[in-house]
Amino acid sequence: MTAPNTLSATELAQRLDAGAVTAEAIVRAHLERIDQRDADVLAWSHLARDAALERARVLDRGPRQGLLHGIPMGVKDIIDSGDQPTTYGSPIYKTHRPLADAATIALAKNEGAILLGKTVTTEFANRHPGVTKNPHNPAHTPGGSSSGSAAAVADFQVVLATGTQTGGSVIRPGAFCGVVAYKPSYGHFAPAGMKANTEWLDTIGAYARTIEDIALFRAALMAMPYRPIARLDKPPRIAVCFTHHKAELSAEGTRAVNDAAALLAKAGAKVSEIDLPAPVRDMTEGQRTLSAFDGPRAHADEARRFPELLSESLKKDKLAAGAAIDYATWVAARKLGEKGRAAVDALFSDFDVILTAPAPGEAPVGLQTTGKATFNLLWTYLWMPCVTLPFTKGPTGLPVGIQLVGRQHEDTTLLDIAGWVRSAL
């Protein structure tokens, strides 16, 4: 029999319904994998072994509870869990225990999910790296800031996990680790219980190994009826967009987008190339303005009481940089976002989805940084839904993905198109 930890959530749900596997067996298989591998990957900040097994036994004794009945999940340690520690990736909170679950955890538990543990995050979901390593090669970064979640799913240590994105912290780790990652339209997953970074950008996202699992997980996290990935009536219209940062792509990053576009055209898609409108060309700096401006505000208490426990990168990139930004500059960045969203939304009369790169290329060597968010932060600023799909490999054998970007609030359409693309590739 195939090991339960290698199956998708939808496959596990089918086997649970058929009585072919138990929730306890599923949890034990994932714990065994963690015991085998996590000394090399270091994806977990806390593992709730006994609690997860007990929860599985309770579920096995009762009727099916919901969409995620018996399915283990990991949660980025920037999101509050009432029954497990939540450290936000900072020594300041090493003994912190919230009183309640964040909305996304509570909603998943309502649907029968088993919280296996908390996954490593960078410090306050910023740039200072955590300990996690890329499961394909421990000398390379897994990306950030949702490093633990992406690595755990990629390494078959958990079947589903959540992350958060302010710049590129869901999509980039997904691409580097070779899993499916989904950043919904801004605000679609309730942020209650997430440690704020930049409230106008922060977006909770999801990791899985299939598009079908993303659709299942999304329904649970939004407390709405589950609708499987639908078959398209006709091939989609795809706009290839390298953005104005094309020169920053590696050879393998450029090749992945071009090769995917050619294969999709061969499969029947109408493929064209677009340049983004003028307002968007200024949005890279605007996103950084918004992100930095919130730094001294989001971390005011930590900076006042525990400055010695903050990393130098947080002090420089968020606190000092944010303090230097005046109100007028911040308002201008907010207004630029509104203009950019309107300009890009108008383009969707000519195509259904944007095909672009999720990162410059494969994961860079070294663990001191988490890679560049250049090919993510623009879409985060535009509040658009994004999916990254594993596609090929780079020169050192590490995953190289592609990114699909949809129209704001049309996430269901994006996931349907992503299902078509995955099959076509």
Side-chain angles (χ1 to χ4, degrees), residues 56-384:
R57 295 185 194 108
V58 169
L59 290 169
D60 284 336
R61 291 195 293 267
R64 183 175 180 85
Q65 184 165 330
L67 293 173
L68 302 182
H69 179 96
I71 305 299
M73 74 171 187
V75 170
K76 183 178 179 178
D77 201 14
I78 201 75
I79 299 172
D80 287 351
S81 49
D83 56 357
Q84 296 184 30
T86 304
T87 71
Y88 310 132
S90 169
I92 296 171
Y93 292 94
K94 63 182 179 181
T95 61
H96 178 53
R97 192 71 170 259
L99 294 176
D101 281 338
T104 45
I105 294 179
L107 291 168
K109 285 182 176 179
N110 287 346
E111 294 293 332
I114 299 172
L115 180 54
L116 197 58
K118 304 300 285 296
T119 57
V120 172
T121 177
T122 62
E123 178 194 30
F124 297 119
N126 282 288
R127 297 180 184 177
H128 187 65
V131 297
T132 306
K133 302 176 182 179
N134 193 303
H136 300 278
N137 186 329
H140 292 249
T141 180
S145 59
S146 306
S147 50
S149 287
V153 172
D155 201 51
F156 301 95
Q157 296 184 27
V158 74
V159 66
L160 300 172
T162 57
T164 65
Q165 179 157 313
T166 305
S169 300
V170 170
I171 296 298
R172 189 173 75 260
F176 284 171
C177 293
V179 294
V180 179
Y182 164 59
K183 182 202 76 70
S185 294
Y186 174 76
H188 277 212
F189 290 169
M194 174 184 65
K195 176 71 170 172
N197 191 341
T198 303
E199 293 192 13
W200 295 106
L201 300 171
D202 293 345
T203 307
I204 294 176
Y207 291 103
R209 293 188 293 272
T210 71
I211 285 292
E212 291 76 15
D213 279 8
I214 291 292
L216 185 74
F217 202 15
R218 174 176 177 255
L221 296 182
M222 293 187 72
M224 66 183 191
Y226 167 56
R227 199 212 71 165
I229 298 297
R231 193 179 190 90
L232 299 183
D233 294 332
K234 58 182 179 180
R237 300 170 300 164
I238 298 173
V240 176
C241 181
F242 287 101
T243 82
H244 45 290
H245 297 290
K246 184 177 182 179
E248 297 180 43
L249 278 173
S250 66
E252 71 267 18
T254 303
R255 186 166 54 250
V257 174
N258 284 330
D259 287 354
L263 288 170
L264 296 174
K266 187 176 180 180
K270 180 181 177 182
V271 178
S272 58
E273 188 167 338
I274 64 164
D275 291 319
L276 294 172
V280 180
R281 290 182 169 269
D282 301 321
M283 291 186 73
T284 299
E285 190 57 38
Q287 191 275 349
R288 290 172 178 152
T289 294
L290 288 184
S291 181
F293 184 83
D294 273 9
R297 293 148 184 87
H299 305 298
D301 184 58
E302 292 89 358
R304 178 176 64 86
R305 294 198 294 152
F306 308 103
E308 73 282 0
L309 296 179
L310 299 176
S311 70
E312 290 305 312
S313 65
L314 184 76
K315 292 177 184 178
K316 176 184 175 183
D317 297 334
K318 298 290 284 191
L319 304 184
I325 298 170
D326 59 29
Y327 174 77
T329 302
W330 176 69
V331 169
R334 290 284 307 280
K335 290 181 177 179
L336 179 64
E338 296 168 4
K339 292 179 181 178
R341 282 186 282 277
V344 173
D345 189 74
L347 299 178
F348 274 83
S349 59
D350 298 323
F351 53 81
D352 302 309
V353 71
I354 293 171
L355 169 64
T356 188
E362 64 179 8
V365 68
L367 303 175
Q368 294 74 37
T369 64
T370 60
K372 295 181 179 179
T374 309
F375 294 94
N376 315 119
L377 53 82
L378 176 64
W379 314 113
T380 308
Y381 194 4
L382 290 168
W383 294 356
M384 298 167 74

